[in-house]
């Protein structure tokens, strides 16, 4: 799933319609309950696309207008609480159009990005955000029946719009890699690394993968360097940061970690009767077919 490419396009949609820093004025203006802002009224204001694991409003999202959306420029993200069948995902809008607000809340985790109307300017092409604006992110908390302001991003110039993209990307990814209620044993909390090396074609390579594990989220970091086999000169260096993942299985001594974008699986295990850790799985063997298991070291 090419989620980063999609998110880059999504950023421009956000920018066309509409310093992590909490704004007291913004928080005060936008309360925590939906009653005053009618978020329910905009849940079905536009079309949705299905992006492998979640739905998102297409094109310009839900644009501000004085009648049906008096809040601001909105982008709505719906994350299914359970896996939906292929028939539904291929007929997204037909499916959502038949749901009422209550059903949408029951079936999806709902996240709404809002650029409030006070930061918009009316143009012949529609409402666009000013050079300086604030983006608020809300989540519907089913337990309390509340729309909660969970984060705010302040943009102070056109040059800072890239920060808005980074903010949105991080926000979506973090909410996609939730561990589905799987509690991680304390022994797995921390950073775990395994080193690898091998040869391919006319190059030798070496590197490492680090698993960053916490109760809230999981992500990987991968470093690799390839060398010309004859000269020993470095051919290429690669660093991949923030490879978001989720835990799909959890037993007493085993964690199965799956990356969100490339669907790679890693089986992390603790040897019985030992303090040693290891990592295995088909995607581990792909690195170097000669090895299907590597020693895993807790580095933090």
């Amino acid at each position: 799933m090419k989620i980063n490419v999609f998110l880059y396009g999504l950023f421009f949609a956000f920018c066309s319609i509409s310093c992590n820093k909490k704004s007291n004025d913004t928080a005060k203006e936008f309360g925590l309950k939906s009653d005053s802002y009618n978020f329910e009224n905009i849940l079905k204001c536009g079309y949705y696309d299905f992006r492998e694991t979640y739905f998102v409003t297409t094109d310009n999202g839900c644009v501000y207008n004085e009648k049906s959306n008096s809040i601001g420029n909105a982008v709505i993200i719906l994350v299914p609480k359970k896996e939906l069948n292929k028939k539904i995902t291929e007929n997204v809008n037909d499916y959502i159009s038949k749901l009422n607000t209550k059903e949408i809340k029951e079936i999806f985790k709902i996240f709404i990005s809002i650029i409030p109307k006070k930061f918009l300017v009316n143009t012949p092409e529609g409402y666009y955000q000013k050079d300086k604006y604030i983006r608020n992110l809300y989540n519907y908390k089913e337990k309390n029946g509340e729309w909660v302001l969970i984060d705010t991003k302040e943009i102070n110039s056109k040059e800072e719009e890239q920060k808005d993209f980074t903010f949105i990307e991080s926000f979506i990814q973090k909410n996609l890699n939730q561990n589905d209620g799987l509690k991680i044993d304390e022994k797995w909390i921390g950073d775990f690394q395994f080193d690898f090396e091998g040869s391919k074609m006319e190059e030798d390579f070496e590197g490492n993968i680090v698993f960053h594990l916490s109760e809230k989220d999981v992500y990987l970091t991968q470093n690799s360097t390839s060398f010309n086999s004859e000269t020993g000169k470095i051919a290429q260096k690669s660093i991949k940061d923030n490879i978001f993942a989720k835990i799909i299985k959890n037993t007493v001594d085993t964690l199965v970690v799956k990356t969100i974008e490339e669907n790679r699986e890693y089986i992390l295990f603790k040897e019985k009767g030992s303090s040693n850790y290891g990592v295995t799985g088909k995607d581990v063997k792909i690195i170097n077919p000669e090895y299907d298991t590597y020693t895993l070291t807790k580095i933090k």
Side-chain angles (χ1 to χ4, degrees):
M1 175 177 62
K2 301 301 182 184
I3 194 168
N4 286 336
V5 174
F6 163 69
L7 288 171
Y8 190 71
L10 185 60
F11 162 64
F12 286 105
F14 282 3
C15 287
S16 67
I17 64 165
S18 17
C19 89
N20 262 343
K21 179 181 178 182
K22 294 289 182 181
S23 169
N24 291 331
D25 291 339
T26 304
K28 184 177 180 180
E29 180 190 354
F30 277 70
L32 301 184
K33 292 192 176 182
S34 64
D35 299 344
S36 302
Y37 310 107
N38 296 317
F39 284 150
E40 284 83 353
N41 291 351
I42 65 173
L43 292 180
K44 296 167 69 173
C45 79
Y47 290 102
Y48 284 87
D49 270 347
F50 182 63
R51 298 292 175 174
E52 301 263 348
T53 52
Y54 62 95
F55 298 86
V56 64
T57 45
T58 60
D59 301 323
N60 290 334
C62 187
V63 182
Y64 169 81
N65 64 74
E66 295 179 356
K67 295 181 179 179
S68 60
N69 173 16
S70 60
I71 305 171
N73 285 350
V75 174
I76 304 165
I77 301 160
L78 304 178
V79 182
K81 295 177 182 177
K82 296 181 180 179
E83 187 174 353
L84 301 177
N85 62 52
K86 190 175 181 180
K87 184 178 179 180
I88 291 175
T89 58
E90 289 180 346
N91 298 277
V92 174
N93 293 291
D94 182 57
Y95 174 68
I96 292 179
S97 68
K98 295 176 181 177
L99 300 176
N100 58 39
T101 300
K102 181 181 179 183
E103 290 170 330
I104 292 175
K105 290 177 177 179
E106 290 174 348
I107 296 171
F108 300 100
K109 297 177 183 176
I110 307 172
F111 301 92
I112 298 180
S113 161
I114 295 284
I115 297 180
K117 62 182 179 182
K118 66 181 288 185
F119 298 104
L120 303 177
V121 58
N122 193 7
T123 74
E125 292 77 30
Y127 282 89
Y128 289 81
Q129 77 273 11
K130 302 174 183 178
D131 289 347
K132 296 182 180 182
Y133 64 93
I134 283 176
R135 182 182 298 284
N136 289 333
L137 291 170
Y138 293 86
N139 176 220
Y140 179 71
K141 300 295 185 181
E142 190 173 8
K143 184 177 180 180
N144 301 319
E146 292 182 343
W147 292 93
V148 178
L149 177 64
I150 57 176
D151 213 339
T152 293
K153 182 68 177 179
E154 187 173 314
I155 301 300
N156 292 305
S157 67
K158 282 288 185 182
E159 290 71 26
E160 288 189 6
E161 284 185 346
Q162 180 61 30
K163 292 182 180 180
D164 198 13
F165 164 60
T166 305
F167 177 55
I168 292 296
E169 178 181 18
S170 176
F171 167 74
I172 294 177
Q173 293 281 20
K174 283 181 179 179
N175 282 284
L176 285 176
N177 76 329
Q178 297 297 308
N179 292 325
D180 297 330
L182 295 176
K183 185 175 177 59
I184 305 177
D185 190 278
E186 188 175 346
K187 66 174 173 286
W188 289 110
I189 303 297
D191 295 345
F192 294 80
Q193 175 178 313
F194 76 91
D195 301 320
F196 58 82
E197 61 181 11
S199 298
K200 191 175 183 180
M201 304 292 286
E202 297 180 351
E203 291 183 344
D204 299 326
F205 62 86
E206 64 182 23
N208 62 66
I209 294 178
V210 181
F211 299 88
H212 306 272
L213 308 174
S214 74
E215 292 181 347
K216 292 184 178 181
D217 52 33
V218 176
Y219 67 96
L220 284 63
T221 301
Q222 179 174 327
N223 297 277
S224 60
T225 305
S226 58
F227 306 86
N228 184 289
S229 299
E230 293 184 359
T231 65
K233 291 184 178 180
I234 294 177
Q236 185 178 12
K237 279 189 174 184
S238 174
I239 300 175
K240 293 183 179 180
D241 228 348
N242 292 329
I243 304 172
F244 291 92
K246 66 190 299 184
I247 295 170
I248 61 172
K249 188 175 181 181
N250 181 12
T251 64
V252 176
D253 292 314
T254 303
L255 289 181
V256 180
V257 175
K258 185 175 184 178
T259 63
I260 292 172
E261 183 175 353
E262 297 181 340
N263 290 320
R264 293 183 178 177
E265 286 189 16
Y266 301 91
I267 303 172
L268 284 57
F269 63 90
K270 183 177 182 295
E271 295 179 5
K272 291 184 178 180
S274 170
S275 59
N276 297 329
Y277 292 87
V279 58
T280 187
K282 61 181 179 62
D283 288 304
V284 170
K285 192 170 183 178
I286 289 174
I287 298 173
N288 184 345
E290 295 183 12
Y291 300 94
D292 59 8
T293 302
Y294 290 86
T295 298
L296 194 62
T297 303
K298 189 170 186 177
I299 61 174
K300 186 177 178 181

